Amino acid sequence: MVLECRAHVIRHMTADLQKGGMGLRACLLGLLALFVTGKCSYSPEPDQLRTLPPGWVSLGRVDPEEELSLTFALRQQNLERLSKLVQAVSDPSSPRYGKYLTLEDVAELVRPSPLTLSTVQKWLLAAGARNCHSVTTQDFLTCWLSVRQAELLLSGAEFHLYVGGPTETHVVRSPRPYQLPKALASHVDFVGGLHRFPPTSSLRQRPEPQVAGTVGLHLGVTPSVIRERYNLTAQDVGSGTTNNSQACAQFLEQYFRDSDLAEFMRLFGGNFAHQASVARVVGQQGRGLAGIEASLDVQYLMSAGANISTWVYSNPGRHESQEPFLQWLLLLSNESALPHVHTVSYGDDEDSLSSAYIQRVNTEFMKAAARGLTLLFASVSLPGDSGAGCWSVSGRHQFRPSFPASSPYVTTVGGTSFQNPFRVTNEVVDYISGGGFSNVFPQPSYQEDAVAHFLSSSPNLPPSSYFNASGRAYPDVAALSDGYWVVSNNVPIPWVSGTSASTPVFGGLLSLINEHRILSGHPPLGFLNPRLYQQRGAGLFDVTRGCHESCLNEEVQGQGFCSGPGWDPVTGWGTPNFPALLKTLINP
């Protein structure tokens, strides 16, 4: 086996030498990197599912000479120390609370070893990789190769062109697993651009409820409804005098339009100060039709976090062979000055992602937390928002957690509805809100007491075989997710629903709190969860009624988890009561 594999590699290197495509020195260095161990190859992502997501179709093999952009995740150092630093800067009882690291500090901590850097660079050079570029932390390396070179480099990979998604997106992916030389096992976590497909939207547009008469009623959630429910006044806006900023990120091949934002604010933003346009777009901003998801993110982040400078990460680094979410993570590792709050309406089923990928992405969230960034993710479950989710393992149904919602280093936002859909009343569970327990990440210490209380006191727990009670539990908080008005392509669209709506709303309110903290000389909130759980939901409306959907047997679509007093895995600690939340979080 080893001899056959070595002979295969030598054959291709010899051919490249004869064609003048590789220098002798590069060839020798590449061979050295390949063969310093006995076994020839290993698979970094053996548990990555190869099933084609619904709605995607292969158009066949890609031309061998077509160019690909692949991202190599290099093994980092000092991750245990990074974890302890995150805990120290995020825990209010720590003397290091709020003393965040700079990007340069993080780079110094996690930068791959000189051996890792040189081994990977020599290997890629020997393969003919070109136009390679790294990030400040030096733990990602993105290179261009032809399909032919990539398939030789990544044994087993076979690149196909696929089309799918609501916008008929084209992507290049491999339906087969790839292998790397065994010599790289301690140097490369995974290679991006081979398996993961773009996510689908979790939004739903529900039919408009029927109502007789409109006196004293509202006909859907707008900024004024949000501000009334969460007790914001006209003075609860950004001052325009700080360096405070916020951002949303989009990976769905959707775009927002400035004209839609202007029309939205004309219709719904007349009673509070707001900014007229997005301050910065990072990535490509398409010229076609706007998407509802992209429009929703921008319009409600900028109306909840009113008058605060806003960035939009719009399908950053888009190329058919790149993964937009991964490119966003690279951008976070390459910019020293970033918005303090980031809201992301994106998720995948945990079980659809490889262990190598999911653990490395979680480390990227640790890096962000160490720098004092607040990352909020929608508590989605697929397809669309579908409560606890469901899948079958060996013929037995189980709930299906989603990632990044299940990461212990992000704040996850669930969804609620008004008890009376036409009045600003108390909130109940929105049955589509995602939530549950991770099958990958153990329960972080900051939430152990809250989860134990829920498990011991809830009268309506699903069977224990359906969930991992010792896993990271989510969501952490919630906000309204039902019945939003959105302007897309100059058309006001009613009754848009999903945790993709609640996430930018909660993020915008945290940006307003950051504004007060900055004006008072305090650092921004940073990673919120340790403080949130220590304060046991102070400043939040506790949501105690309702359950989300799930499957509890093969025939019936039943209830999953139910809300109750305190924290629960449907609405977390609850929804924001802005004056009380500001009072709770303003002080160091």
Side-chain angles (χ1 to χ4, degrees), residues 13-288:
M13 286 188 164
T14 303
D16 281 347
L17 277 169
Q18 291 171 345
K19 294 176 184 177
M22 179 184 297
L24 178 60
R25 176 175 171 78
C27 180
L28 293 174
L29 290 172
L31 286 171
L32 176 65
L34 284 170
F35 302 136
V36 293
T37 59
K39 290 186 179 180
C40 185
S41 60
Y42 79 105
S43 178
E45 302 186 81
D47 48 348
Q48 176 71 56
L49 295 181
R50 312 293 172 217
T51 54
L52 194 63
W56 290 89
V57 177
S58 173
L59 302 180
R61 294 284 295 272
V62 180
D63 187 302
E65 303 310 315
E66 182 166 327
E67 295 288 297
L68 297 176
S69 173
L70 298 177
T71 298
F72 300 84
L74 277 58
R75 186 68 49 84
Q76 299 151 315
Q77 299 189 97
N78 302 314
L79 297 188
E80 185 175 347
R81 187 177 168 203
L82 176 65
S83 175
K84 291 179 178 178
L85 282 169
V86 170
Q87 184 175 355
V89 301
S90 307
D91 183 348
S93 63
S94 165
R96 287 209 58 175
Y97 178 64
K99 298 177 181 177
Y100 304 124
L101 278 64
T102 66
L103 176 60
E104 291 69 26
D105 293 333
V106 173
E108 189 67 27
L109 188 65
V110 305
R111 181 180 293 118
S113 69
L115 179 60
T116 290
L117 294 171
S118 63
T119 301
V120 175
Q121 289 167 359
K122 290 170 185 177
W123 172 63
L124 291 171
L125 176 63
R130 56 202 166 277
N131 297 330
C132 295
H133 58 273
S134 186
V135 293
T136 301
T137 48
Q138 294 185 258
D139 47 4
F140 286 106
L141 192 61
T142 301
C143 297
W144 288 87
L145 305 95
S146 69
V147 168
R148 186 193 310 277
Q149 291 169 326
E151 290 182 351
L152 290 175
L153 183 74
L154 308 170
S155 176
E158 187 179 275
F159 290 93
H160 291 239
L161 180 64
Y162 294 90
V163 62
T167 57
E168 294 293 295
T169 303
H170 287 79
V171 300
V172 173
R173 296 290 186 269
S174 171
R176 298 175 54 190
Y178 66 95
Q179 293 189 321
L180 298 180
K182 184 67 175 178
L184 296 174
S186 60
H187 302 300
V188 176
D189 288 331
F190 70 89
V191 182
L194 280 91
H195 298 314
R196 286 161 288 276
F197 283 75
T200 56
S201 174
S202 63
L203 287 178
R204 300 184 184 187
Q205 189 171 5
R206 293 173 175 166
E208 181 176 348
Q210 299 300 308
V211 60
T214 60
V215 176
L217 305 181
H218 70 80
L219 297 178
V221 175
T222 64
S224 63
V225 170
I226 288 170
R227 297 179 79 83
E228 179 180 350
R229 168 56 186 160
Y230 297 143
N231 293 321
L232 282 86
T233 69
Q235 287 69 47
D236 290 319
V237 296
S239 66
T241 62
T242 71
N243 64 350
N244 191 18
S245 57
Q246 58 190 359
C248 58
Q250 302 161 354
F251 315 111
L252 298 171
E253 285 298 310
Q254 289 195 8
Y255 305 95
F256 77 96
R257 290 172 55 173
D258 290 325
S259 58
D260 288 339
L261 176 62
E263 177 65 6
F264 177 85
M265 290 301 186
R266 186 188 72 80
L267 291 172
F268 305 120
N271 60 349
F272 57 90
H274 57 266
Q275 298 207 350
S277 60
V278 168
R280 180 177 173 186
V281 176
V282 182
Q284 299 185 10
Q285 176 61 355
R287 298 181 179 179

Side-chain angles (χ1 to χ4, degrees), residues 383-408:
D385 279 311
S386 53
C390 184
W391 71 316
S392 181
V393 182
S394 302
R396 295 173 55 193
H397 279 72
Q398 294 181 3
F399 296 156
R400 196 173 199 179
S402 69
F403 179 80
S406 65
S407 167

Side-chain angles (χ1 to χ4, degrees), residues 403-545:
F403 179 80
S406 65
S407 167
Y409 293 102
V410 306
T411 299
T412 305
V413 185
T416 61
S417 304
F418 282 124
Q419 187 171 339
N420 181 329
F422 300 104
R423 295 187 184 276
V424 180
T425 58
N426 292 336
E427 294 162 74
V428 297
V429 169
D430 186 349
Y431 68 91
I432 66 175
S433 176
F437 294 77
S438 174
N439 290 324
V440 175
F441 300 106
Q443 206 163 98
S445 59
Y446 61 71
Q447 67 171 186
E448 287 175 348
D449 290 346
V451 175
H453 178 266
F454 169 78
L455 293 174
S456 64
S457 62
S458 176
N460 299 306
L461 279 180
S464 60
S465 61
Y466 275 72
F467 64 99
N468 172 28
S470 62
R472 150 63 161 146
Y474 67 96
D476 306 297
V477 293
L480 286 164
S481 58
D482 182 28
Y484 278 68
W485 280 90
V486 182
V487 174
S488 187
N489 301 301
N490 294 319
V491 177
I493 301 172
W495 300 105
V496 175
S497 301
T499 50
S500 295
S502 56
T503 306
V505 166
F506 206 101
L509 299 188
L510 291 182
S511 292
L512 292 180
I513 294 172
N514 273 340
E515 184 84 357
H516 285 270
R517 288 179 61 88
I518 292 169
L519 289 171
S520 300
H522 303 314
L525 288 167
F527 175 44
L528 186 61
N529 291 10
R531 182 165 187 166
L532 185 70
Y533 282 82
Q534 280 189 27
Q535 294 174 169
R536 304 192 62 79
L540 298 168
F541 292 118
D542 194 3
V543 180
T544 60
R545 294 185 57 184

